[in-house]
Amino acid sequence: TQLLEQSPQFLSIQEGENLTVYCNSSSVFSSLQWYRQEPGEGPVLLVTVVTGGEVKKLKRLTFQFGDARKDSSLHITAAQPGDTGLYLCAGGSDMRFGAGTRLTVKP
Amino acid sequence: GAVVSQHPSRVICKSGTSVKIECRSLDFQATTMFWYRQFPKQSLMLMATSNEGSKATYEQGVEKDKFLINHASLTLSTLTVTSAHPEDSSFYICSARTPFTGVEIYEQYFGPGTRLTVT
């Protein structure tokens, strides 16, 4: 079983600040996915990273896949209250999830 | 992105009864679907992997006789919670995996979830 550890588990910041959340594993993944989930809803796919060292940008969100394909990070620039939610990484053929980072952005 | 639907979105049932939850991939064929359970303020816990035309693979600790999974077609998987008890109350989420394209590895799209309350 490939385990994913996410950090931090909770993050509360002010609007306009930058933040980075991490997804780490001791295993190599062929790909990793990042999702955002709002209360009472299913997770929504944000991005899939496939190539070691890959960087993908989605507006103010920047996703990076580690060179060794064991870790990934999500950086949010100038966070907004609308970014509030549970951020999850997932990977492996059986699509297991990390514990998630619960982000709160205060206006 | 691809669309996955779940039905019902909310269900309340009495202890001892059975409840069926449907998961459909609306615009792609999914040979593999996954069922997750999520408790408040926690991440998703994988319950089982459902492959079209074959038996589901259950995670350790998940009772296969209690959580019956049927993946009868490439667009439909069902989860039946049998003889439900209050401790089965939870948020159940399904996902469908896109076919392997050879370029991007699998992607997975989630349904909106089903809130089950057992009284």
PDB file of all heavy atoms in Angstrom, chain B residues 8-9 13 26 28 35 38 47 53 57 62 74 79 82 87-88 90 96 100 111 114-115:
ATOM      1  N   PRO B   8     -29.177   8.289  -4.134  1.00  0.00           N
ATOM      2  CA  PRO B   8     -29.672   9.643  -3.831  1.00  0.00           C
ATOM      3  C   PRO B   8     -28.578  10.508  -3.228  1.00  0.00           C
ATOM      4  O   PRO B   8     -27.505  10.022  -2.894  1.00  0.00           O
ATOM      5  CB  PRO B   8     -30.770   9.351  -2.805  1.00  0.00           C
ATOM      6  CG  PRO B   8     -30.267   8.133  -2.084  1.00  0.00           C
ATOM      7  CD  PRO B   8     -29.550   7.306  -3.119  1.00  0.00           C
ATOM      8  N   SER B   9     -28.853  11.777  -3.082  1.00  0.00           N
ATOM      9  CA  SER B   9     -27.882  12.666  -2.448  1.00  0.00           C
ATOM     10  C   SER B   9     -27.989  12.578  -0.926  1.00  0.00           C
ATOM     11  O   SER B   9     -27.007  12.780  -0.211  1.00  0.00           O
ATOM     12  CB  SER B   9     -28.090  14.102  -2.911  1.00  0.00           C
ATOM     13  OG  SER B   9     -29.411  14.525  -2.623  1.00  0.00           O
ATOM     14  N   CYS B  13     -32.765   6.236   6.727  1.00  0.00           N
ATOM     15  CA  CYS B  13     -33.413   4.933   6.798  1.00  0.00           C
ATOM     16  C   CYS B  13     -33.424   4.457   8.247  1.00  0.00           C
ATOM     17  O   CYS B  13     -32.665   4.948   9.090  1.00  0.00           O
ATOM     18  CB  CYS B  13     -32.714   3.911   5.899  1.00  0.00           C
ATOM     19  SG  CYS B  13     -31.087   3.407   6.477  1.00  0.00           S
ATOM     20  N   LEU B  26     -21.326   9.666 -16.465  1.00  0.00           N
ATOM     21  CA  LEU B  26     -22.287  10.152 -17.453  1.00  0.00           C
ATOM     22  C   LEU B  26     -21.702  10.333 -18.846  1.00  0.00           C
ATOM     23  O   LEU B  26     -22.431  10.277 -19.835  1.00  0.00           O
ATOM     24  CB  LEU B  26     -22.903  11.467 -16.977  1.00  0.00           C
ATOM     25  CG  LEU B  26     -23.678  11.382 -15.661  1.00  0.00           C
ATOM     26  CD1 LEU B  26     -24.321  12.731 -15.336  1.00  0.00           C
ATOM     27  CD2 LEU B  26     -24.734  10.290 -15.711  1.00  0.00           C
ATOM     28  N   PHE B  28     -18.379   9.036 -19.858  1.00  0.00           N
ATOM     29  CA  PHE B  28     -17.275   8.150 -20.220  1.00  0.00           C
ATOM     30  C   PHE B  28     -17.539   6.774 -19.629  1.00  0.00           C
ATOM     31  O   PHE B  28     -18.346   6.628 -18.714  1.00  0.00           O
ATOM     32  CB  PHE B  28     -15.927   8.704 -19.738  1.00  0.00           C
ATOM     33  CG  PHE B  28     -15.768   8.750 -18.239  1.00  0.00           C
ATOM     34  CD1 PHE B  28     -15.104   7.744 -17.549  1.00  0.00           C
ATOM     35  CD2 PHE B  28     -16.276   9.813 -17.514  1.00  0.00           C
ATOM     36  CE1 PHE B  28     -14.963   7.796 -16.175  1.00  0.00           C
ATOM     37  CE2 PHE B  28     -16.138   9.874 -16.129  1.00  0.00           C
ATOM     38  CZ  PHE B  28     -15.485   8.866 -15.458  1.00  0.00           C
ATOM     39  N   TRP B  35     -15.376   3.193  -4.161  1.00  0.00           N
ATOM     40  CA  TRP B  35     -16.303   3.654  -3.137  1.00  0.00           C
ATOM     41  C   TRP B  35     -15.513   4.081  -1.901  1.00  0.00           C
ATOM     42  O   TRP B  35     -14.642   3.350  -1.429  1.00  0.00           O
ATOM     43  CB  TRP B  35     -17.306   2.565  -2.774  1.00  0.00           C
ATOM     44  CG  TRP B  35     -18.331   2.356  -3.845  1.00  0.00           C
ATOM     45  CD1 TRP B  35     -18.305   1.428  -4.846  1.00  0.00           C
ATOM     46  CD2 TRP B  35     -19.528   3.111  -4.031  1.00  0.00           C
ATOM     47  NE1 TRP B  35     -19.419   1.556  -5.642  1.00  0.00           N
ATOM     48  CE2 TRP B  35     -20.185   2.583  -5.171  1.00  0.00           C
ATOM     49  CE3 TRP B  35     -20.128   4.178  -3.348  1.00  0.00           C
ATOM     50  CZ2 TRP B  35     -21.410   3.085  -5.632  1.00  0.00           C
ATOM     51  CZ3 TRP B  35     -21.332   4.672  -3.811  1.00  0.00           C
ATOM     52  CH2 TRP B  35     -21.965   4.131  -4.935  1.00  0.00           C
ATOM     53  N   GLN B  38     -16.520   8.850   4.195  1.00  0.00           N
ATOM     54  CA  GLN B  38     -15.880  10.005   4.799  1.00  0.00           C
ATOM     55  C   GLN B  38     -16.622  10.416   6.057  1.00  0.00           C
ATOM     56  O   GLN B  38     -17.824  10.692   6.013  1.00  0.00           O
ATOM     57  CB  GLN B  38     -15.832  11.176   3.810  1.00  0.00           C
ATOM     58  CG  GLN B  38     -15.042  12.369   4.305  1.00  0.00           C
ATOM     59  CD  GLN B  38     -14.946  13.456   3.247  1.00  0.00           C
ATOM     60  OE1 GLN B  38     -15.846  13.658   2.455  1.00  0.00           O
ATOM     61  NE2 GLN B  38     -13.824  14.174   3.236  1.00  0.00           N
ATOM     62  N   MET B  47     -13.128   2.193   0.593  1.00  0.00           N
ATOM     63  CA  MET B  47     -13.832   1.007   1.059  1.00  0.00           C
ATOM     64  C   MET B  47     -13.587  -0.178   0.129  1.00  0.00           C
ATOM     65  O   MET B  47     -13.321  -1.285   0.576  1.00  0.00           O
ATOM     66  CB  MET B  47     -15.334   1.269   1.123  1.00  0.00           C
ATOM     67  CG  MET B  47     -15.760   2.344   2.087  1.00  0.00           C
ATOM     68  SD  MET B  47     -17.525   2.655   1.997  1.00  0.00           S
ATOM     69  CE  MET B  47     -18.188   1.112   2.581  1.00  0.00           C
ATOM     70  N   GLY B  53     -17.906  -6.156 -14.280  1.00  0.00           N
ATOM     71  CA  GLY B  53     -17.991  -7.565 -14.628  1.00  0.00           C
ATOM     72  C   GLY B  53     -17.280  -8.509 -13.695  1.00  0.00           C
ATOM     73  O   GLY B  53     -17.246  -9.720 -13.952  1.00  0.00           O
ATOM     74  N   THR B  57     -13.124  -5.557  -4.924  1.00  0.00           N
ATOM     75  CA  THR B  57     -12.016  -5.799  -3.996  1.00  0.00           C
ATOM     76  C   THR B  57     -12.203  -4.891  -2.798  1.00  0.00           C
ATOM     77  O   THR B  57     -12.199  -3.665  -2.941  1.00  0.00           O
ATOM     78  CB  THR B  57     -10.665  -5.489  -4.669  1.00  0.00           C
ATOM     79  OG1 THR B  57     -10.533  -6.286  -5.846  1.00  0.00           O
ATOM     80  CG2 THR B  57      -9.524  -5.791  -3.717  1.00  0.00           C
ATOM     81  N   VAL B  62     -13.391  -3.817   5.906  1.00  0.00           N
ATOM     82  CA  VAL B  62     -14.695  -3.506   5.320  1.00  0.00           C
ATOM     83  C   VAL B  62     -15.432  -4.815   5.067  1.00  0.00           C
ATOM     84  O   VAL B  62     -14.921  -5.694   4.367  1.00  0.00           O
ATOM     85  CB  VAL B  62     -14.536  -2.724   4.001  1.00  0.00           C
ATOM     86  CG1 VAL B  62     -15.911  -2.455   3.380  1.00  0.00           C
ATOM     87  CG2 VAL B  62     -13.793  -1.421   4.236  1.00  0.00           C
ATOM     88  N   LEU B  74     -20.470  -0.537 -17.654  1.00  0.00           N
ATOM     89  CA  LEU B  74     -19.329   0.377 -17.680  1.00  0.00           C
ATOM     90  C   LEU B  74     -19.666   1.775 -17.183  1.00  0.00           C
ATOM     91  O   LEU B  74     -18.787   2.625 -17.086  1.00  0.00           O
ATOM     92  CB  LEU B  74     -18.758   0.460 -19.098  1.00  0.00           C
ATOM     93  CG  LEU B  74     -18.020  -0.791 -19.573  1.00  0.00           C
ATOM     94  CD1 LEU B  74     -17.678  -0.675 -21.044  1.00  0.00           C
ATOM     95  CD2 LEU B  74     -16.758  -1.008 -18.756  1.00  0.00           C
ATOM     96  N   LEU B  79     -23.764   0.549  -4.533  1.00  0.00           N
ATOM     97  CA  LEU B  79     -23.349   0.147  -3.190  1.00  0.00           C
ATOM     98  C   LEU B  79     -24.614  -0.043  -2.372  1.00  0.00           C
ATOM     99  O   LEU B  79     -25.417   0.888  -2.272  1.00  0.00           O
ATOM    100  CB  LEU B  79     -22.465   1.220  -2.557  1.00  0.00           C
ATOM    101  CG  LEU B  79     -22.200   1.102  -1.049  1.00  0.00           C
ATOM    102  CD1 LEU B  79     -21.352  -0.130  -0.747  1.00  0.00           C
ATOM    103  CD2 LEU B  79     -21.510   2.356  -0.507  1.00  0.00           C
ATOM    104  N   THR B  82     -26.403  -3.110   3.707  1.00  0.00           N
ATOM    105  CA  THR B  82     -27.418  -4.050   4.180  1.00  0.00           C
ATOM    106  C   THR B  82     -27.528  -3.997   5.699  1.00  0.00           C
ATOM    107  O   THR B  82     -26.539  -3.747   6.401  1.00  0.00           O
ATOM    108  CB  THR B  82     -27.075  -5.486   3.750  1.00  0.00           C
ATOM    109  OG1 THR B  82     -25.829  -5.863   4.366  1.00  0.00           O
ATOM    110  CG2 THR B  82     -26.942  -5.588   2.243  1.00  0.00           C
ATOM    111  N   GLU B  87     -24.237   3.339  13.247  1.00  0.00           N
ATOM    112  CA  GLU B  87     -22.802   3.575  13.024  1.00  0.00           C
ATOM    113  C   GLU B  87     -22.426   3.563  11.544  1.00  0.00           C
ATOM    114  O   GLU B  87     -21.289   3.923  11.193  1.00  0.00           O
ATOM    115  CB  GLU B  87     -21.955   2.538  13.781  1.00  0.00           C
ATOM    116  CG  GLU B  87     -22.267   1.100  13.458  1.00  0.00           C
ATOM    117  CD  GLU B  87     -23.241   0.486  14.460  1.00  0.00           C
ATOM    118  OE1 GLU B  87     -24.105   1.227  14.991  1.00  0.00           O
ATOM    119  OE2 GLU B  87     -23.139  -0.732  14.686  1.00  0.00           O
ATOM    120  N   ASP B  88     -23.360   3.142  10.689  1.00  0.00           N
ATOM    121  CA  ASP B  88     -23.123   3.205   9.243  1.00  0.00           C
ATOM    122  C   ASP B  88     -23.413   4.587   8.683  1.00  0.00           C
ATOM    123  O   ASP B  88     -23.127   4.854   7.503  1.00  0.00           O
ATOM    124  CB  ASP B  88     -23.993   2.177   8.502  1.00  0.00           C
ATOM    125  CG  ASP B  88     -23.673   0.756   8.906  1.00  0.00           C
ATOM    126  OD1 ASP B  88     -22.492   0.467   9.182  1.00  0.00           O
ATOM    127  OD2 ASP B  88     -24.611  -0.067   8.963  1.00  0.00           O
ATOM    128  N   SER B  90     -22.934   8.016   7.484  1.00  0.00           N
ATOM    129  CA  SER B  90     -21.699   8.616   6.989  1.00  0.00           C
ATOM    130  C   SER B  90     -21.959   9.276   5.642  1.00  0.00           C
ATOM    131  O   SER B  90     -23.086   9.263   5.138  1.00  0.00           O
ATOM    132  CB  SER B  90     -20.623   7.533   6.828  1.00  0.00           C
ATOM    133  OG  SER B  90     -19.353   8.111   6.579  1.00  0.00           O
ATOM    134  N   ALA B  96     -15.193   7.437 -10.422  1.00  0.00           N
ATOM    135  CA  ALA B  96     -15.013   6.631 -11.628  1.00  0.00           C
ATOM    136  C   ALA B  96     -13.691   7.004 -12.260  1.00  0.00           C
ATOM    137  O   ALA B  96     -13.350   8.195 -12.351  1.00  0.00           O
ATOM    138  CB  ALA B  96     -16.170   6.884 -12.602  1.00  0.00           C
ATOM    139  N   PHE B 100      -7.387   4.228 -19.373  1.00  0.00           N
ATOM    140  CA  PHE B 100      -5.988   4.553 -19.569  1.00  0.00           C
ATOM    141  C   PHE B 100      -5.772   5.028 -20.996  1.00  0.00           C
ATOM    142  O   PHE B 100      -6.167   4.384 -21.946  1.00  0.00           O
ATOM    143  CB  PHE B 100      -5.139   3.314 -19.308  1.00  0.00           C
ATOM    144  CG  PHE B 100      -3.674   3.510 -19.522  1.00  0.00           C
ATOM    145  CD1 PHE B 100      -2.973   4.436 -18.763  1.00  0.00           C
ATOM    146  CD2 PHE B 100      -2.988   2.787 -20.470  1.00  0.00           C
ATOM    147  CE1 PHE B 100      -1.617   4.619 -18.943  1.00  0.00           C
ATOM    148  CE2 PHE B 100      -1.632   2.967 -20.665  1.00  0.00           C
ATOM    149  CZ  PHE B 100      -0.947   3.882 -19.901  1.00  0.00           C
ATOM    150  N   GLY B 111     -18.291  11.545  -7.624  1.00  0.00           N
ATOM    151  CA  GLY B 111     -19.679  11.927  -7.505  1.00  0.00           C
ATOM    152  C   GLY B 111     -19.840  12.952  -6.395  1.00  0.00           C
ATOM    153  O   GLY B 111     -18.899  13.207  -5.630  1.00  0.00           O
ATOM    154  N   THR B 114     -23.260  10.867  -1.096  1.00  0.00           N
ATOM    155  CA  THR B 114     -24.570  10.515  -0.531  1.00  0.00           C
ATOM    156  C   THR B 114     -24.464  10.557   0.980  1.00  0.00           C
ATOM    157  O   THR B 114     -23.624   9.863   1.565  1.00  0.00           O
ATOM    158  CB  THR B 114     -24.996   9.104  -0.974  1.00  0.00           C
ATOM    159  OG1 THR B 114     -25.171   9.077  -2.390  1.00  0.00           O
ATOM    160  CG2 THR B 114     -26.306   8.702  -0.285  1.00  0.00           C
ATOM    161  N   ARG B 115     -25.308  11.354   1.581  1.00  0.00           N
ATOM    162  CA  ARG B 115     -25.333  11.444   3.041  1.00  0.00           C
ATOM    163  C   ARG B 115     -26.332  10.430   3.564  1.00  0.00           C
ATOM    164  O   ARG B 115     -27.510  10.553   3.325  1.00  0.00           O
ATOM    165  CB  ARG B 115     -25.739  12.848   3.467  1.00  0.00           C
ATOM    166  CG  ARG B 115     -25.974  13.025   4.969  1.00  0.00           C
ATOM    167  CD  ARG B 115     -24.698  13.111   5.746  1.00  0.00           C
ATOM    168  NE  ARG B 115     -23.825  14.169   5.284  1.00  0.00           N
ATOM    169  CZ  ARG B 115     -22.541  14.267   5.603  1.00  0.00           C
ATOM    170  NH1 ARG B 115     -21.993  13.377   6.407  1.00  0.00           N
ATOM    171  NH2 ARG B 115     -21.810  15.265   5.140  1.00  0.00           N
TER     172      ARG B 115
END
